[in-house]
Amino acid sequence: MKLSKGDRLKEKIIKREQLSGWLEELGKEYEMWAPVKEHGLVFFCPIESAKSIYFGFLNSKKTPKDLFFPQSEVLFSFLKDKVEKAAETILQKPRIIFAIRPCDAQSLALLDQVFDSEDYQDPYYVERRKGTLLMGMACTRPQASCFCTSVGGGPFEKAYLDLLVEDLGDGRYFVEAVTQRGEALMKKNDLFEDFQKKDRERLAKIKKEAEGRIKSKVTIEGLEEKLDKIFDSAFWDQVHQRCLGCAICTYLCSTCHCFALLDERDNSRVQRLRSWDSCMFPGFTLEASGHNPRISNRERMRQRVMHKFNYFVKRFGETACVGCGRCIQSCPVNIDIREIIEGIRNA
Ligand code: SF4
Ligand code: SF4
C-alpha cells in the first residue's frame, strides 16, 4: 500500500557506512540482490555483504526482470500422470532488490499487466513479485541513450518502488519510503538522521541536473494511430535493412516478455520449460506447415515496434517501453529505437 503524501516521517538521511550496515542487517531476513560488477559489466546478483555492491553503476547490462520472469525455468515436471510443482519456483526467503533503477521498476509495473491481470495470473511471476521489495536508487547520471522522461518515467521517479534512495553526493543518502512495505524496512534501522532544509535544496538541485542530462526526447503522443496508418508503408522497407536478427534488443529489453514452452524428457520424467523467445527470430512465427507469416526482418522489426507502441497501448493503455536505452546501447549495428520513432512520425 502506498503512503500518503503528507507522511514526512518516512523521509530520512543516512550516511554511506550506515547504509551498508542497514543493508547487511536486512540481509539476515531477506535475500539481497544488488548491482555487482563482473568482467567490466554490471549485473544484479545475490550478495552476502554490502561490500560487493557496485555503487558507481549507471545501469545494469541485463534488466532485473529475470528475477521475476527468468530466462529459462522449469514450470513443472511430470512422471506418468503425477504432476509436481517445480521447487525452484518457490521463494525460499523474501527478497530485496537494492538499487533497481526507476525505469526498471516501471517496466515491472508494465509486466504486471501481462502476468498479473484480472483475467490471468501467472503464479510463478505473481509469487516472486509479492515476495520481492524494490529498494530503488535514483539515477544521478542518466546516460546518453536514456529517454525515460519521454515515456512517463524519470530518473527520480518513485511511483513503482517500495522505497527510493537518492545519493546526495557527499557520502549521505536521502531515503524515502513509498509504500508501507518500504516504511517497514526503514523501521528496521535506527541510524537515520532527520533531513534539513538545506538537504532538500541540495536534493532538488541534483534532481534538476539529472533530468537536464536527459537530452533525448521522443514524442509518443499519436504514435499508436500513426502506426495503424503506416502498417503497409514502404517505411518498413528501410528501417530493418541493417538488422542482423540477433534479438539482443529484445533479450535486454526491460519490457519484452515473449516466451516459448518446451517439454524436455529424461527417461519417463518430463519437464515443461518456459524460456524467453524473441519476435526478432525467424522461428518465432514459423508454423508447422512451414509457412511463416513474418517472413523477413522487415515484418519482424515492424512487429517489435507495433507491439511496443501500438498493440500494448491498445490493450493496456500504456507504451511498452520505459526508455532504458539498453536496445540502443547494445544493438551491434546501431539501430536506435528513438530514430525509428522519429521516422514513424515523419513517414
Ligand atoms: S539488436 Fe539490432 S541487429 Fe539485433 S535484432 Fe535488434 S535491431 Fe536487429
Ligand atoms: S525498447 Fe529499448 S529503450 Fe525501450 S524499454 Fe526496451 S530496451 Fe529499453
Side-chain angles (χ1 to χ4, degrees):
M1 187 184 287
K2 300 258 182 218
L3 294 172
S4 71
K5 269 193 174 167
D7 198 351
R8 293 294 173 208
L9 281 174
K10 311 311 168 226
E11 298 176 334
K12 295 282 181 185
I13 299 273
I14 192 166
K15 292 195 177 89
R16 170 69 171 269
E17 55 277 15
Q18 287 161 353
L19 172 65
S20 296
W22 179 32
L23 295 174
E24 299 221 341
E25 201 53 37
L26 292 174
K28 293 177 184 165
E29 193 180 334
Y30 294 87
E31 186 180 291
M32 300 297 290
W33 288 70
V36 173
K37 196 170 187 181
E38 284 181 354
H39 309 294
L41 298 173
V42 180
F43 299 97
F44 278 88
C45 299
I47 56 158
E48 297 291 331
S49 155
K51 289 194 186 84
S52 314
I53 301 172
Y54 180 55
F55 280 90
F57 83 120
L58 299 176
N59 204 356
S60 55
K61 183 75 176 171
K62 273 174 75 185
T63 147
K65 82 175 172 192
D66 60 356
L67 270 75
F68 305 92
F69 170 45
Q71 192 162 341
S72 188
E73 67 177 319
V74 178
L75 295 180
F76 57 85
S77 56
F78 49 96
L79 188 61
K80 296 189 177 158
D81 58 351
K82 188 168 174 285
V83 176
E84 299 162 355
K85 190 177 179 188
E88 64 264 40
T89 63
I90 300 163
L91 290 184
Q92 301 301 313
K93 247 177 152 180
R95 304 183 296 192
I96 290 175
I97 307 182
F98 173 68
I100 185 171
R101 293 301 192 197
C103 59
D104 288 333
Q106 185 183 348
S107 75
L108 292 173
L110 293 170
L111 293 178
D112 287 348
Q113 306 205 50
V114 177
F115 291 116
D116 189 13
S117 68
E118 271 184 23
D119 301 332
Y120 168 74
Q121 291 87 40
D122 181 293
Y124 308 90
Y125 176 91
V126 171
E127 183 177 326
R128 291 180 184 123
R129 271 293 262 155
K130 283 195 179 140
T132 308
L133 282 91
L134 304 180
M135 240 173 135
M137 176 76 85
C139 288
T140 49
R141 290 183 296 151
Q143 302 173 82
S145 52
C146 294
F147 59 100
C148 57
T149 46
S150 296
V151 283
F156 281 60
E157 178 59 65
K158 60 189 177 198
Y160 308 103
L161 296 161
D162 291 300
L163 188 151
L164 180 63
V165 179
E166 297 153 313
D167 189 349
L168 286 166
D170 59 358
R172 299 178 309 146
Y173 293 85
F174 186 84
V175 183
E176 187 176 356
V178 182
T179 64
Q180 286 183 349
R181 297 206 308 172
E183 182 188 6
L185 293 184
M186 288 185 73
K187 283 184 178 160
K188 292 177 193 290
N189 179 52
D190 52 13
L191 296 172
F192 288 118
E193 296 168 11
D194 288 335
F195 67 90
Q196 309 296 326
K197 187 168 174 268
K198 64 179 182 336
D199 295 324
R200 188 173 290 287
E201 287 163 4
R202 184 184 182 95
L203 187 65
K205 186 165 173 275
I206 292 169
K207 183 177 175 191
K208 195 171 172 200
E209 281 171 7
E211 286 169 353
R213 280 175 187 253
I214 302 179
K215 306 287 182 208
S216 296
K217 301 274 178 254
V218 297
T219 306
I220 296 298
E221 287 73 33
L223 204 61
E224 178 209 342
E225 295 80 3
K226 186 68 190 270
L227 280 164
D228 279 332
K229 287 185 189 142
I230 65 159
F231 189 83
D232 292 316
S233 155
F235 169 76
W236 301 108
D237 297 342
Q238 295 301 320
V239 76
H240 71 96
Q241 289 288 348
R242 300 200 304 274
C243 178
L244 308 172
C246 67
I248 289 285
C249 51
T250 54
Y251 270 50
L252 295 184
C253 179
S254 328
T255 65
C256 279
H257 52 273
C258 292
F259 60 82
L261 292 172
L262 314 156
D263 283 354
E264 274 189 3
R265 186 171 176 160
D266 178 13
N267 294 322
S268 47
R269 179 180 295 278
V270 179
Q271 289 191 325
R272 177 150 302 169
L273 292 159
R274 171 164 63 183
S275 302
W276 292 357
D277 204 344
S278 171
C279 59
M280 300 306 283
F281 288 143
F284 186 70
T285 44
L286 182 63
E287 296 170 8
S289 66
H291 171 66
N292 194 337
R294 295 189 204 133
I295 192 70
S296 76
N297 274 350
R298 177 186 183 278
E299 287 76 25
R300 298 193 273 275
M301 179 68 80
R302 182 177 62 189
Q303 167 62 25
R304 177 179 161 231
V305 174
M306 290 293 291
H307 190 190
K308 292 194 173 300
F309 301 105
N310 182 285
Y311 306 145
F312 202 91
V313 182
K314 280 189 166 65
R315 185 148 182 225
F316 299 115
E318 291 179 82
T319 295
C321 171
V322 293
C324 71
R326 287 187 178 89
C327 57
I328 301 164
Q329 288 170 4
S330 296
C331 174
V333 291
N334 298 325
I335 290 177
D336 188 325
I337 192 82
R338 295 166 300 184
E339 291 171 9
I340 295 177
I341 293 170
E342 190 58 27
I344 293 165
R345 301 193 68 79
N346 297 324

Short mmCIF file of all heavy atoms in Angstrom, two decimals, residues 13 168 172 174 195-209:
data_model
loop_
_atom_site.label_atom_id
_atom_site.label_comp_id
_atom_site.label_asym_id
_atom_site.label_seq_id
_atom_site.Cartn_x
_atom_site.Cartn_y
_atom_site.Cartn_z
N ILE A 13 17.73 10.76 6.28
CA ILE A 13 19.08 10.79 5.72
C ILE A 13 19.87 9.65 6.37
O ILE A 13 19.70 9.38 7.56
CB ILE A 13 19.77 12.13 6.06
CG1 ILE A 13 19.00 13.31 5.47
CG2 ILE A 13 21.23 12.12 5.64
CD1 ILE A 13 19.33 13.68 4.07
N LEU A 168 23.15 11.95 -2.19
CA LEU A 168 23.33 13.39 -2.03
C LEU A 168 24.73 13.85 -2.45
O LEU A 168 25.03 15.04 -2.42
CB LEU A 168 23.07 13.79 -0.58
CG LEU A 168 21.59 13.78 -0.17
CD1 LEU A 168 21.44 13.84 1.34
CD2 LEU A 168 20.84 14.95 -0.81
N ARG A 172 26.28 10.88 1.86
CA ARG A 172 25.00 10.65 2.54
C ARG A 172 23.92 10.36 1.49
O ARG A 172 24.05 10.74 0.33
CB ARG A 172 24.59 11.88 3.35
CG ARG A 172 25.56 12.26 4.45
CD ARG A 172 25.11 13.52 5.18
NE ARG A 172 24.80 14.57 4.24
CZ ARG A 172 23.84 15.49 4.41
NH1 ARG A 172 23.10 15.48 5.48
NH2 ARG A 172 23.62 16.42 3.50
N PHE A 174 19.57 10.24 0.82
CA PHE A 174 18.21 10.59 1.22
C PHE A 174 17.37 9.33 0.99
O PHE A 174 17.43 8.74 -0.10
CB PHE A 174 17.73 11.74 0.32
CG PHE A 174 16.41 12.32 0.68
CD1 PHE A 174 16.29 13.29 1.67
CD2 PHE A 174 15.25 11.91 0.03
CE1 PHE A 174 15.07 13.85 1.99
CE2 PHE A 174 14.02 12.46 0.34
CZ PHE A 174 13.93 13.43 1.33
N PHE A 195 16.34 15.02 7.95
CA PHE A 195 16.85 15.88 6.88
C PHE A 195 16.61 17.34 7.24
O PHE A 195 15.66 17.66 7.96
CB PHE A 195 16.22 15.51 5.54
CG PHE A 195 14.75 15.80 5.46
CD1 PHE A 195 14.30 17.03 5.01
CD2 PHE A 195 13.81 14.84 5.82
CE1 PHE A 195 12.95 17.31 4.94
CE2 PHE A 195 12.46 15.11 5.76
CZ PHE A 195 12.02 16.34 5.33
N GLN A 196 17.46 18.18 6.73
CA GLN A 196 17.35 19.62 6.97
C GLN A 196 16.89 20.30 5.69
O GLN A 196 16.95 19.71 4.61
CB GLN A 196 18.72 20.19 7.39
CG GLN A 196 19.41 19.44 8.51
CD GLN A 196 18.63 19.52 9.81
OE1 GLN A 196 17.98 20.53 10.10
NE2 GLN A 196 18.64 18.44 10.58
N LYS A 197 16.50 21.56 5.82
CA LYS A 197 16.04 22.32 4.65
C LYS A 197 17.13 22.34 3.57
O LYS A 197 16.85 22.17 2.39
CB LYS A 197 15.68 23.74 5.10
CG LYS A 197 15.03 24.58 4.02
CD LYS A 197 14.43 25.84 4.61
CE LYS A 197 13.92 26.75 3.53
NZ LYS A 197 14.88 27.72 3.10
N LYS A 198 18.37 22.52 3.99
CA LYS A 198 19.46 22.60 3.00
C LYS A 198 19.65 21.25 2.27
O LYS A 198 20.08 21.23 1.12
CB LYS A 198 20.76 23.08 3.63
CG LYS A 198 21.36 22.19 4.69
CD LYS A 198 22.64 22.83 5.18
CE LYS A 198 23.44 22.11 6.21
NZ LYS A 198 22.95 21.19 7.11
N ASP A 199 19.31 20.15 2.93
CA ASP A 199 19.39 18.84 2.26
C ASP A 199 18.36 18.76 1.14
O ASP A 199 18.63 18.23 0.07
CB ASP A 199 19.15 17.71 3.26
CG ASP A 199 20.23 17.64 4.32
OD1 ASP A 199 21.39 17.90 3.98
OD2 ASP A 199 19.89 17.33 5.48
N ARG A 200 17.18 19.27 1.43
CA ARG A 200 16.12 19.24 0.41
C ARG A 200 16.52 20.10 -0.80
O ARG A 200 16.31 19.73 -1.94
CB ARG A 200 14.79 19.71 0.99
CG ARG A 200 13.62 19.52 0.04
CD ARG A 200 12.31 19.83 0.70
NE ARG A 200 11.93 18.85 1.69
CZ ARG A 200 11.50 17.62 1.41
NH1 ARG A 200 11.40 17.22 0.17
NH2 ARG A 200 11.18 16.78 2.36
N GLU A 201 17.14 21.24 -0.50
CA GLU A 201 17.57 22.12 -1.59
C GLU A 201 18.66 21.44 -2.42
O GLU A 201 18.67 21.49 -3.64
CB GLU A 201 18.08 23.45 -1.02
CG GLU A 201 16.95 24.33 -0.51
CD GLU A 201 17.42 25.44 0.44
OE1 GLU A 201 18.63 25.60 0.65
OE2 GLU A 201 16.54 26.15 0.94
N ARG A 202 19.57 20.78 -1.72
CA ARG A 202 20.66 20.07 -2.41
C ARG A 202 20.08 18.97 -3.31
O ARG A 202 20.47 18.80 -4.46
CB ARG A 202 21.58 19.46 -1.34
CG ARG A 202 22.80 18.77 -1.89
CD ARG A 202 23.61 18.12 -0.76
NE ARG A 202 24.79 17.50 -1.31
CZ ARG A 202 25.96 18.10 -1.35
NH1 ARG A 202 26.12 19.30 -0.87
NH2 ARG A 202 27.00 17.48 -1.90
N LEU A 203 19.12 18.27 -2.75
CA LEU A 203 18.50 17.17 -3.50
C LEU A 203 17.76 17.70 -4.74
O LEU A 203 17.85 17.12 -5.82
CB LEU A 203 17.52 16.43 -2.58
CG LEU A 203 16.92 15.16 -3.15
CD1 LEU A 203 18.00 14.11 -3.39
CD2 LEU A 203 15.87 14.60 -2.19
N ALA A 204 17.06 18.80 -4.57
CA ALA A 204 16.32 19.39 -5.71
C ALA A 204 17.29 19.77 -6.83
O ALA A 204 17.00 19.58 -8.02
CB ALA A 204 15.54 20.61 -5.24
N LYS A 205 18.46 20.27 -6.45
CA LYS A 205 19.47 20.67 -7.45
C LYS A 205 20.01 19.42 -8.18
O LYS A 205 20.13 19.42 -9.41
CB LYS A 205 20.61 21.41 -6.72
CG LYS A 205 21.66 22.01 -7.61
CD LYS A 205 22.51 23.00 -6.81
CE LYS A 205 23.67 23.51 -7.63
NZ LYS A 205 24.83 22.65 -7.59
N ILE A 206 20.29 18.38 -7.41
CA ILE A 206 20.81 17.14 -8.02
C ILE A 206 19.77 16.56 -8.99
O ILE A 206 20.10 16.12 -10.10
CB ILE A 206 21.17 16.11 -6.91
CG1 ILE A 206 22.37 16.62 -6.11
CG2 ILE A 206 21.46 14.74 -7.49
CD1 ILE A 206 22.65 15.83 -4.83
N LYS A 207 18.53 16.58 -8.56
CA LYS A 207 17.45 16.03 -9.40
C LYS A 207 17.32 16.83 -10.70
O LYS A 207 17.20 16.26 -11.79
CB LYS A 207 16.13 16.08 -8.60
CG LYS A 207 14.97 15.47 -9.31
CD LYS A 207 13.73 15.50 -8.43
CE LYS A 207 12.55 14.98 -9.23
NZ LYS A 207 11.28 15.20 -8.58
N LYS A 208 17.38 18.15 -10.58
CA LYS A 208 17.24 19.00 -11.77
C LYS A 208 18.40 18.73 -12.74
O LYS A 208 18.20 18.63 -13.96
CB LYS A 208 17.24 20.47 -11.32
CG LYS A 208 16.76 21.41 -12.38
CD LYS A 208 16.56 22.80 -11.84
CE LYS A 208 16.27 23.73 -13.00
NZ LYS A 208 16.51 25.11 -12.71
N GLU A 209 19.60 18.60 -12.18
CA GLU A 209 20.77 18.32 -13.04
C GLU A 209 20.62 16.98 -13.74
O GLU A 209 20.95 16.83 -14.92
CB GLU A 209 22.05 18.33 -12.19
CG GLU A 209 22.53 19.73 -11.88
CD GLU A 209 23.66 19.76 -10.86
OE1 GLU A 209 24.17 18.69 -10.47
OE2 GLU A 209 24.00 20.88 -10.45
#
